[in-house]
Amino acid sequence: MAEKILEVKHLCTSFIQEDGSELRAVDDLSYEVHEGECVAIIGESGSGKSVSALSILRLIPYPPGIIKSGQILYRGEDLMEKSDAQMEKIRGKNISMIFQEPSTSLNPVMTIGNQIMENILIHSDATREQARERAKELLEMVDIPNPDVRLKDYPYQFSGGMQQRAMIAMGMSCSPDILICDEPTTALDVTVQAQVLEQLNGLRSKYGTAIIIITHNLGIVARYADTVKIMYGGRVIESGTADDVFERPCHPYTIGLIRAVPRLDLPRSRGLHTIEGEPPNMAKISPGCCPFHLRCKYADDRCRNERPEAGPVGGGHMCACHHMELAEEERKEVVVH
């Protein structure tokens, strides 16, 4: 197995609201990332996906946010024990992040070239001319035509797809060990989505960069991910390889997600399925219960009073549910082959 380069252990991140209540955005999150691996983190909006990524880079705004406990081990060193100055050296060089909306992440008054060069100049001994050549190479790498000319352009002169490619170039400018992609294709049309994802996959193959991709698009996960983490209520409720999760989903929430995907191989009479209810308000949900119990048809008093711990299903496949055996028939209906 490839070398383990990141280990998140029992991470808890909260936000203190105006009324003083605590909203647990990330609640006891644990997972590992290996060199060259693509890890997909899936869940609805509000499940804690983006907050978990920002926590890894220690970019949670304080106040109101605070990383309450846990460890974030990068090559065995706990990032929680690093000073702000030490973290500045790690961000962008060892661990990079592509943020969700490139149009709001790029600086509108700086040229694309200067924005890419900035990261190179901060984290290396390169001269401005060397940084400019590297920026040109990066734009070529992500298939932006006429890179010499486009380096001088501003973000508004790039289309949405080109802005996203520029963000990838910035993220890869120092050849990081880990690239975190927060819903990198949300604002793009389907054709451009495929191009961007193929570029990310190519970078992974060429440089051995590990990718953490945060998404709610199951199609992306099925095609590119090695391992999958299903998040709900700030917790990982099911994890395993992509084959494990798609061929034998065990948690009722995972089954619901897969069931909600439109299927062309089933009759139209099947209709479209949804997961009833809304994501929980984690400021009001007890930490000692299953966060999905308000929406789960199998929930009972045990679910409302006892938090399920993740247990093995087979191999490295894990699931945190008291009643996953009750969903067996429902599982057979949604399995994707």
Side-chain angles (χ1 to χ4, degrees):
M1 179 177 285
E3 180 186 358
K4 179 168 62 179
I5 55 176
L6 181 72
E7 187 173 8
V8 178
K9 288 185 173 183
H10 307 294
L11 179 66
C12 296
T13 303
S14 294
F15 291 88
I16 306 303
Q17 303 188 104
E18 291 183 0
D19 61 1
S21 61
E22 177 186 342
L23 191 154
R24 302 183 313 280
V26 177
D27 190 5
D28 197 22
L29 177 67
S30 298
Y31 66 89
E32 300 176 355
V33 180
H34 296 82
E35 185 177 306
E37 183 180 21
C38 181
V39 177
I41 301 178
I42 306 173
E44 294 172 284
S45 296
S47 62
K49 308 185 302 298
S50 296
V51 174
S52 68
L54 293 171
S55 297
I56 290 173
L57 288 170
R58 287 192 25 209
L59 290 175
I60 299 298
Y62 175 79
I66 182 171
I67 301 175
K68 297 191 66 179
S69 61
Q71 292 180 299
I72 303 166
L73 303 177
Y74 168 67
R75 296 195 180 278
E77 297 185 8
D78 191 356
L79 300 185
M80 293 300 299
E81 296 178 354
K82 300 289 186 183
S83 67
D84 289 344
Q86 289 173 319
M87 282 303 301
E88 286 178 4
K89 294 179 180 179
I90 291 171
R91 297 188 197 111
K93 181 179 181 182
N94 304 109
I95 306 175
S96 288
M97 185 168 179
I98 299 173
F99 295 94
Q100 188 167 349
E101 290 289 346
S103 59
T104 58
S105 300
L106 292 167
N107 189 329
V109 298
M110 285 180 67
T111 64
I112 293 294
N114 282 336
Q115 293 188 61
I116 298 173
M117 290 167 58
E118 182 179 41
N119 194 49
I120 299 169
L121 293 169
I122 288 173
H123 294 296
S124 74
D125 297 326
T127 64
R128 284 196 65 82
E129 185 58 33
Q130 290 170 332
R132 188 182 184 283
E133 283 301 310
R134 173 61 174 158
K136 177 184 172 182
E137 291 173 6
L138 288 162
L139 290 188
E140 288 178 332
M141 183 179 67
V142 295
D143 296 331
I144 290 181
N146 303 318
D148 265 332
V149 176
R150 303 318 295 260
L151 282 173
K152 303 172 186 176
D153 286 349
Y154 290 87
Y156 77 89
Q157 295 172 284
F158 276 39
S159 67
M162 291 176 69
Q163 287 179 353
Q164 192 63 282
R165 293 180 195 185
M167 289 291 293
I168 294 172
M170 291 172 63
M172 292 300 299
S173 60
C174 293
S175 302
D177 289 333
I178 303 167
L179 182 62
I180 302 173
C181 306
D182 188 0
E183 302 197 23
T185 61
T186 298
L188 309 179
D189 62 61
V190 176
T191 303
V192 178
Q193 280 186 22
Q195 294 171 350
V196 168
L197 290 166
E198 285 298 329
Q199 286 166 348
L200 287 171
N201 203 44
L203 295 172
R204 180 167 69 112
S205 302
K206 184 175 181 179
Y207 297 103
T209 301
I211 294 178
I212 301 173
I213 187 164
I214 298 168
T215 184
H216 50 254
N217 187 324
L218 299 188
I220 291 174
V221 175
R223 182 173 177 84
Y224 296 101
D226 298 312
T227 57
V228 179
K229 314 293 178 186
I230 306 293
M231 282 192 72
Y232 190 86
R235 306 171 185 173
V236 172
I237 57 173
E238 185 164 359
S239 63
T241 66
D243 288 342
D244 286 337
V245 173
F246 281 96
E247 294 183 6
R248 194 167 187 268
C250 293
H251 198 284
Y253 178 65
T254 308
I255 293 171
L257 285 178
I258 297 174
R259 198 178 187 193
V261 176
R263 297 274 296 274
L264 297 178
D265 59 332
L266 295 175
R268 184 176 296 182
S269 58
R270 176 180 180 267
L272 296 175
H273 290 271
T274 62
I275 302 175
E276 295 186 4
E278 298 179 353
N281 181 344
M282 294 308 294
K284 298 180 179 179
I285 295 288
S286 166
C289 72
C290 173
F292 190 59
H293 78 272
L294 294 173
R295 304 171 71 182
C296 181
K297 63 183 178 181
Y298 306 112
D300 58 14
D301 286 341
R302 185 183 181 192
C303 303
R304 288 184 279 272
N305 295 295
E306 182 183 336
R307 172 176 174 163
E309 296 298 329
V313 178
H317 190 183
M318 306 287 285
C319 181
C321 179
H322 293 309
H323 304 297
M324 55 184 172
E325 72 284 349
L326 297 178
E328 183 66 36
E329 288 303 314
E330 193 175 1
R331 180 190 304 130
K332 291 176 182 177
E333 180 186 341
V334 304
V335 169
V336 179
H337 296 289

